[in-house]
Amino acid sequence: MTSDEFKEIEDAFQKATAMTAPERAAFLERLALENAVLAQKVRDILAADSDGDTSLAAPIAGSIESAIDDIGKPWINRTIDAWTLKEKIGAGGMGAVFLAERTTGEFAQTAAIKIMMAQLVDETAERRFRAERQILANLSHPNIATLLDGGSTMEGLPYIVMEYVEGVRIDAYCDERRLSLTERLRLFQEVCNAVDYAHRNLVVHRDLKPSNILVTPQGISKLLDFGIAKLLEPGAYEITIAQTRDGARAMTPDYASPEQVRGEPVSIATDVYSLGVLLFRLLTGQSPYGSSASTSREIESAILESAPLRPSAALTSLSSDSPAASSEVGEQRSISAERLGRRLKGDLDTIALKCLQKDPERRYTSAREIAADIERFLSNEPILARADSWFYKTRKYVMRHSRALAAAAAVFATIAALVTFYTIRLADERDKAQLAAEKSSQISSFLIDVFKNADPHTAKGEEVTAIDLLDEGAKRIATLENQPIVQSELMQIIGDTYTNLDKEERAIELIQSAINIRRANGAFDPLSMADLYHDLGEAQRLSGKIADAVASYKLALKLRQENLPENHPDVIWTLERIGVTYFDERSNEEALDYLQRARNLAIGLDGDKEEDSLSLDILGNIGIVLDVMGRYKEAEPILRKTVEISEKLDGELDPNTIIRNNNLGYLLVRLYKYKEAEKIFSISVERAIKVWPKNHSQIARYIADRGAVLYRLGRMKEAEAAYVKAAEMVRDGDGESSNDYIDHLRGLGAFYTIAGQYRKAELNLMHARKLTVELFGNDNYQIPQIDIIRAKAKNMQEDGARAATILQNALLMRKKITANRLVIAERELGVALSLQGKYNAAEKQLAKVLLEQEKARGADNPALIDVLRERAANLRRAGSPGKAAPSAKRAYEIATQYLPKDNWQIALAAAEYAHTMEIAGDTEEARRIANKARRDLVVVFGEGDQRVESIDAFLTLMH
């Protein structure tokens, strides 16, 4: 056979292998007409290839492996530049990889050296090897193995020195460590971010598979082997795409995309496909194409012709075929196989299948988009891969405010064109209602995507506000007056978006209109109406119309109870929402009642049902209500339980787990368990940094929470650094025009007040107040919260008159003040009255606060310390030291019982106690207690602090 004849056969074979079965048959028929001998030879080779005959392949593979082994031996202990080769640790198509140590310089270093073996490759591969070195030189990312050095040996063989990654391939790492689904997804996100970085540097990896992704013992993933990578930049290192032009399909079949199998040009979408296969395996332990395809030809045929399985379906199939194997898959993910299947079903199925689309244009457009949708799934937000239905969107359980949206003005024209198009189409149809039903979900999905993707933090160029966008959309809806179902659904969607943008009044108006339209047109589907009433209730709740909200929610509940099973998630969810609404109204007993009813349905009266995210959220809300009610002893075991279950159910790095962990921390602070609370908040910060992007407001929140407990522990410098860092993170991430930034300014003001730095406190608090008025108006809940802190600062400066005025105005907005802060406001009002010499009024006020707190929290609760101390101080100022003594002593005893030793809050109680002891004649003990209190306060606040000076004045008088 001549070389030309061989080339003809090879070319025909390569073309045939890239075709579907029908295409291949037609191709061979055409070829037979032109050259019957050539066609028959190609058929014979194809038949041998499809049989998976290894009789020839095995010896060839063995020979190559043997050759590489033989080549590697002479290199051991050889020194190349600064590196000594110690052992061969691997081999690839272009050469061998050695473990090496740096033998010169002032420090020891281990690396991996890859040397191209000229005996195994041709000139083209050598150029490709050099291109790999250049590619790695351009990539610097914590999750990509770093290029350290490079050059040529004395023989002229190119080599590269790479970071030595001591790790395990990603799938084995996940299985060996029994990583939960959440932990696997976090690791996968890390890989996506590394791949996205490569893409943004114009590099497509083209061989993404578990063996090229190692995970270190510290849990850090590292992307390896850019040996067949392609540069996207036109003209750069053209050799990296030569193998595609030559027909040599550089790939690993199991992870190859359809375009790679066909030998077509590759792109970012190629890596997206491979990431989809990797995700599928991490989720299920299986291939997207099942176990029937075993040979390379069968795998490639499946990639080209077969629809990939859904991950949940693959698991179901495995359970049917091999229950033991299915059980093992679940155990490797620290979850039962049945529960794993339920978690995969839905969003994760959708994400994986979008990656695995055969048409590259239908896949995610970037690895970053995959990571973002994974984040949405983990945060229980709607993913972008799905065409959102209203039912899907509202099923997401969220208890947070949405961020503002923005969009390019061109979107208006698109919306107008879309609605106009459908209006014309609908007018031409006989059965308008039927077509409306078919088209409404498409319109809804489009609008949702518009609103969702218009991100103010990434949009470039001229922008309009989300409110402008929504208002324009609302106007366009009027053109659909002849299509009531579509019109009402769009009203519902836009109304919901108004709610998320804190424009509840507009939301209420639109959603109520949607309800009226459906009633008027007889389109009274009970479950759709239940959705509308539910959404109306949420808008009313957020607008402060609590009675209206409860009424709307109860209408939704009635419809759902009449048309759904008693324990249906939507019934449970509505019960939970009613509970939350009563909680917002401070009707805590009613809130507990509804939350408990929801909880009983979610887990069963005997607790025999398995916990899920909804039931766990309800349990957490019960704990929060008990916490706010001051029923700390009941709340503590509940909140501890939510954290324990959440870590098992969702994993330690699940956002809900971190939030639940932090809720426990808040309670521990109120229980004065500062040291444990500090550990809890530190864990939250550590986990949040791994979960949320840099400068995310959630990370900042946890840093500030840790600052709050640090100052209580007397670690003022650390606390200030935490508060400042948190505020700067939010300012840099969201800008000053955000509620989160106002929160952090308020926190800084509170810290500086306690620290005695009143000028800084006033600056931060007034800045927060100014921003609140500008953004939200004078009746926003932030105003009284800020003013209570301002009043406390005035009291600490002994300006009782100014403090009283501020507090009286703040208390006019009593309904917008949380229970815990209301206690502070009432107490500070008593202090302000005392500082003005209104001792009787102050005593009545402080006695009332004390009685309410004793009733709510018990007689020896640490929350009583401050009010007891202030009451003693007032009675002492009033000239009634005998009456002051019991309160002062009680405050001191509770403080020493519950607070950490030498805590500055004990010192404040001790200082007041010393006053009453001195008046009672126990001068020596009073002096001893006062001196210790002084020492403890100086450690925290320094000399010159007014609290220290007050003790100094007392000690001077004693002399």
Side-chain angles (χ1 to χ4, degrees):
M1 181 186 296
T2 67
S3 61
D4 288 343
E5 287 173 332
F6 180 82
K7 186 69 170 68
E8 279 187 292
I9 294 171
E10 182 186 30
D11 287 346
F13 172 75
Q14 292 292 350
K15 289 178 182 177
T17 57
M19 296 176 179
T20 63
E23 290 172 339
R24 189 180 304 130
F27 169 74
L28 290 172
E29 286 179 11
R30 290 194 305 272
L31 187 62
L33 293 173
E34 298 171 5
N35 189 330
V37 175
L38 175 62
Q40 187 56 49
K41 288 181 178 180
V42 172
R43 283 195 178 97
D44 292 342
I45 296 172
L46 287 169
D49 181 63
S50 64
D51 289 340
D53 187 356
T54 59
S55 59
L56 182 62
I60 293 173
S63 297
I64 292 175
E65 186 175 348
S66 176
I68 291 173
D69 284 340
D70 291 341
I71 291 168
K73 290 173 184 176
W75 293 85
I76 303 302
N77 293 322
R78 178 172 167 180
T79 299
I80 301 175
D81 290 339
W83 303 93
T84 299
L85 309 186
K86 292 299 183 181
E87 61 178 288
K88 186 167 73 67
I89 56 177
M94 289 186 289
V97 182
F98 298 87
L99 178 66
E101 294 179 356
R102 183 186 286 275
T103 55
T104 60
E106 299 180 356
F107 60 92
Q109 188 176 13
T110 302
I113 293 187
K114 184 175 182 179
I115 303 173
M116 196 196 89
M117 298 304 177
Q119 297 92 325
L120 298 177
V121 296
D122 57 16
E123 182 181 352
T124 296
E126 180 180 348
R127 293 200 305 274
R128 183 150 52 91
F129 185 92
R130 293 183 185 279
E132 178 186 3
R133 187 169 68 192
Q134 185 59 52
I135 287 168
L136 286 171
N138 291 336
L139 299 179
S140 177
H141 188 276
N143 301 112
I144 296 177
T146 306
L147 176 71
L148 302 175
D149 201 353
S152 297
T153 67
M154 290 187 301
E155 296 84 356
L157 300 177
Y159 71 86
I160 54 177
V161 184
M162 299 170 291
E163 170 190 2
Y164 174 61
V165 180
E166 184 179 354
V168 180
R169 51 186 282 167
I170 188 170
D171 54 348
Y173 178 89
C174 291
D175 290 348
E176 290 168 4
R177 302 204 175 203
R178 299 291 193 263
L179 294 194
S180 68
L181 203 59
T182 297
E183 291 167 326
R184 288 169 185 257
L185 291 172
R186 290 296 178 206
L187 203 54
F188 177 72
Q189 280 183 304
E190 211 172 74
V191 174
C192 288
N193 291 331
V195 173
D196 179 67
Y197 171 83
H199 291 169
R200 285 184 283 112
N201 282 272
L202 306 177
V203 177
V204 178
H205 190 283
R206 298 206 298 180
D207 198 21
L208 294 171
K209 56 186 177 182
S211 59
N212 281 339
I213 306 164
L214 301 186
V215 184
T216 69
Q218 293 75 36
I220 300 170
S221 64
K222 291 283 185 177
L223 187 56
L224 312 176
D225 199 353
F226 282 79
I228 66 168
K230 172 189 173 182
L231 287 228
L232 296 172
E233 189 176 15
Y237 320 119
E238 290 182 358
I239 192 61
T240 63
I241 61 171
Q243 69 273 28
T244 300
R245 292 196 303 268
D246 293 341
R249 295 168 295 153
M251 62 181 183
T252 300
D254 287 33
Y255 291 83
S257 66
E259 59 268 27
Q260 282 179 292
V261 172
R262 289 191 292 265
E264 296 171 354
V266 299
S267 65
I268 286 172
T270 304
D271 281 351
V272 167
Y273 185 95
S274 299
L275 286 170
V277 182
L278 174 64
L279 174 61
F280 201 103
R281 285 195 177 274
L282 292 180
L283 296 176
T284 69
Q286 300 174 78
S287 164
Y289 299 100
S291 58
S292 59
S294 55
T295 68
S296 295
R297 174 65 11 237
E298 289 170 343
I299 293 169
E300 291 181 12
S301 177
I303 291 170
L304 292 172
E305 300 172 15
S306 303
L309 297 168
R310 288 179 289 110
S312 60
L315 200 66
T316 301
S317 176
L318 182 64
S319 298
S320 301
D321 296 342
S322 176
S326 174
S327 177
E328 183 181 4
V329 168
E331 288 175 6
Q332 289 169 342
R333 288 149 184 79
S334 299
I335 192 174
S336 69
E338 183 182 357
R339 280 178 60 193
L340 176 61
R342 290 201 302 267
R343 287 208 72 193
L344 296 180
K345 194 171 185 178
D347 286 353
L348 289 177
D349 280 343
T350 302
I351 291 170
L353 293 183
K354 186 172 179 68
C355 294
L356 296 171
Q357 290 285 344
K358 298 197 185 300
D359 181 355
E361 292 186 1
R362 297 185 64 192
R363 298 173 202 155
Y364 285 101
T365 60
S366 69
R368 191 188 326 175
E369 281 191 5
I370 307 173
D373 250 1
I374 295 290
E375 182 61 43
R376 292 182 184 95
F377 168 78
L378 293 172
S379 300
N380 216 8
E381 298 174 357
I383 62 170
L384 299 186
R386 163 191 300 270
D388 294 339
S389 67
W390 177 250
F391 178 76
Y392 166 74
K393 193 168 186 286
T394 56
R395 281 288 304 276
K396 290 297 182 180
Y397 185 83
V398 291
M399 293 181 69
R400 68 194 185 290
H401 291 287
S402 298
R403 292 172 178 247
L405 304 172
V411 171
F412 290 145
T414 308
I415 294 175
L418 178 78
V419 175
T420 301
F421 171 75
Y422 279 127
T423 303
I424 294 171
R425 286 287 305 274
L426 292 170
D428 291 339
E429 295 292 334
R430 293 180 181 177
D431 192 349
K432 296 177 181 179
Q434 180 181 353
L435 188 57
E438 293 171 355
K439 299 299 184 183
S440 64
S441 63
Q442 298 176 34
I443 300 173
S444 302
S445 297
F446 173 81
L447 289 175
I448 291 172
D449 287 340
V450 168
F451 300 147
K452 187 165 47 185
N453 291 324
D455 187 345
H457 306 301
T458 58
K460 305 297 181 182
E462 184 180 356
E463 295 183 349
V464 295
T465 68
I467 300 303
D468 291 336
L469 180 62
L470 291 170
D471 290 346
E472 184 68 18
K475 291 178 186 176
R476 297 295 179 181
I477 289 175
T479 64
L480 292 172
E481 59 184 357
N482 293 326
Q483 306 305 323
I485 302 299
V486 177
Q487 189 179 40
S488 65
E489 185 173 352
L490 288 173
M491 285 178 171
Q492 186 176 9
I493 292 166
I494 295 180
D496 175 60
T497 310
Y498 274 132
T499 299
N500 289 336
L501 290 171
D502 297 329
K503 299 296 180 182
E504 294 88 3
E505 293 301 328
R506 299 189 196 181
I508 292 169
E509 182 181 349
L510 266 182
I511 297 171
Q512 188 63 64
S513 294
I515 291 171
N516 295 339
I517 287 171
R518 293 204 180 192
R519 281 177 172 167
N521 288 274
F524 197 96
D525 171 54
L527 292 179
S528 296
M529 291 299 289
D531 287 346
L532 281 165
Y533 282 122
H534 190 104
D535 301 339
L536 180 61
E538 185 67 5
Q540 290 166 334
R541 179 181 76 84
L542 292 172
S543 71
K545 297 178 179 178
I546 301 301
D548 291 344
V550 169
S552 295
Y553 276 132
K554 287 184 176 180
L555 283 171
L557 179 64
K558 182 176 184 292
L559 289 170
R560 286 177 172 174
Q561 286 176 329
E562 289 173 350
N563 293 277
L564 293 170
E566 182 186 34
N567 61 349
H568 190 280
D570 284 353
V571 174
I572 297 170
W573 187 33
T574 308
L575 284 168
E576 185 272 346
R577 290 283 89 189
I578 296 173
V580 169
T581 306
Y582 276 126
F583 174 70
D584 289 344
E585 193 188 27
R586 308 289 181 260
S587 299
N588 295 320
E589 295 296 340
E590 290 86 349
L592 272 180
D593 176 55
Y594 275 90
L595 289 171
Q596 194 59 61
R597 285 168 60 186
R599 173 82 179 158
N600 290 341
L601 289 175
I603 65 166
L605 289 174
D606 299 323
D608 55 340
K609 296 180 183 176
E610 199 169 25
E611 292 279 3
D612 59 18
S613 294
L614 179 55
S615 66
L616 194 56
D617 278 330
I618 296 168
L619 181 64
N621 286 337
I622 290 172
I624 292 169
V625 174
L626 291 170
D627 178 4
V628 169
M629 293 173 73
R631 293 163 61 175
Y632 300 145
K633 291 181 180 178
E634 296 172 73
E636 184 177 4
I638 288 176
L639 293 180
R640 288 188 186 278
K641 183 178 179 181
T642 62
V643 173
E644 180 185 350
I645 297 174
S646 191
E647 288 180 344
K648 293 178 182 177
L649 183 67
D650 299 321
E652 291 182 349
L653 293 182
D654 187 276
N656 285 327
T657 301
I658 301 173
I659 291 168
R660 289 160 183 152
N661 188 67
N662 232 53
N663 286 337
L664 173 60
Y666 297 143
L667 175 64
L668 293 174
V669 170
R670 283 187 272 278
L671 287 171
Y672 290 74
K673 297 180 180 181
Y674 295 151
K675 291 183 178 179
E676 186 182 359
E678 195 274 329
K679 290 179 182 178
I680 291 285
F681 290 136
S682 295
I683 290 171
S684 292
V685 171
E686 180 183 338
R687 292 176 179 175
I689 289 171
K690 295 178 181 178
V691 170
W692 281 282
K694 183 180 179 182
N695 283 344
H696 195 282
S697 60
Q698 203 73 10
I699 302 174
R701 171 59 54 204
Y702 298 144
I703 291 173
D705 290 339
R706 182 169 179 266
V709 77
L710 285 171
Y711 88 69
R712 287 174 168 88
L713 285 167
R715 294 155 62 179
M716 293 295 176
K717 289 185 178 179
E718 293 176 75
E720 181 178 14
Y723 274 113
V724 170
K725 181 179 180 180
E728 289 176 347
M729 285 176 67
V730 173
R731 182 195 62 202
D732 294 344
D734 299 340
E736 292 199 357
S737 298
S738 74
N739 194 55
D740 279 345
Y741 185 59
I742 293 170
D743 274 342
H744 287 283
L745 286 176
R746 177 162 54 83
L748 260 174
F751 164 74
Y752 283 127
T753 296
I754 295 297
Q757 300 181 49
Y758 304 120
R759 176 61 180 162
K760 288 184 177 180
E762 183 71 5
L763 286 173
N764 280 282
L765 292 170
M766 290 308 295
H767 189 189
R769 203 178 194 284
K770 178 174 178 290
L771 287 174
T772 301
V773 172
E774 290 174 354
L775 293 172
F776 308 115
N778 284 302
D779 61 345
N780 185 264
Y781 76 95
Q782 289 275 17
I783 298 296
Q785 315 279 35
I786 293 167
D787 285 348
I788 290 167
I789 302 168
R790 292 178 60 223
K792 181 176 178 64
K794 295 300 180 185
N795 275 338
M796 291 179 69
Q797 297 172 81
E798 299 189 351
D799 187 353
R802 181 64 182 141
T805 300
I806 293 172
L807 285 167
Q808 285 160 1
N809 288 329
L811 288 170
L812 293 175
M813 301 173 68
R814 181 180 294 268
K815 286 192 174 182
K816 298 196 175 185
I817 305 173
T818 64
N820 289 323
R821 289 193 174 92
L822 190 58
V823 171
I824 297 171
E826 299 279 10
R827 185 189 70 222
E828 291 301 322
L829 181 58
V831 175
L833 291 169
S834 180
L835 289 171
Q836 296 176 80
K838 301 174 181 179
Y839 304 125
N840 289 336
E843 165 60 13
K844 288 180 181 179
Q845 178 69 19
L846 292 168
K848 183 190 79 167
V849 174
L850 178 60
L851 183 63
E852 289 172 350
Q853 289 300 291
E854 285 176 329
K855 184 178 179 181
R857 306 185 181 196
D860 64 344
N861 193 287
L864 304 179
I865 295 170
D866 285 340
V867 68
L868 284 167
R869 178 172 55 81
E870 297 294 358
R871 186 187 187 199
N874 176 62
L875 290 168
R876 176 172 53 81
R877 292 189 195 105
S880 304
K883 292 182 180 179
S887 292
K889 181 180 180 181
R890 189 173 160 201
Y892 178 66
E893 288 176 344
I894 294 174
T896 53
Q897 179 183 351
Y898 286 98
L899 294 174
K901 185 180 178 182
D902 301 329
N903 186 269
W904 59 271
Q905 289 169 285
I906 296 178
L908 291 179
E912 189 58 45
Y913 183 41
H915 275 288
T916 60
M917 293 191 72
E918 192 273 337
I919 293 170
D922 195 345
T923 305
E924 288 303 314
E925 183 64 8
R927 183 179 290 109
R928 182 191 69 79
I929 292 175
N931 277 317
K932 184 179 186 312
R934 186 188 190 281
R935 288 194 300 271
D936 291 342
L937 290 174
V938 167
V939 169
V940 176
F941 301 110
E943 297 282 359
D945 181 82
Q946 68 179 54
R947 288 156 288 200
V948 175
E949 291 179 345
S950 177
I951 296 177
D952 286 340
F954 170 67
L955 290 169
T956 300
L957 287 173
M958 287 182 67
H959 288 294

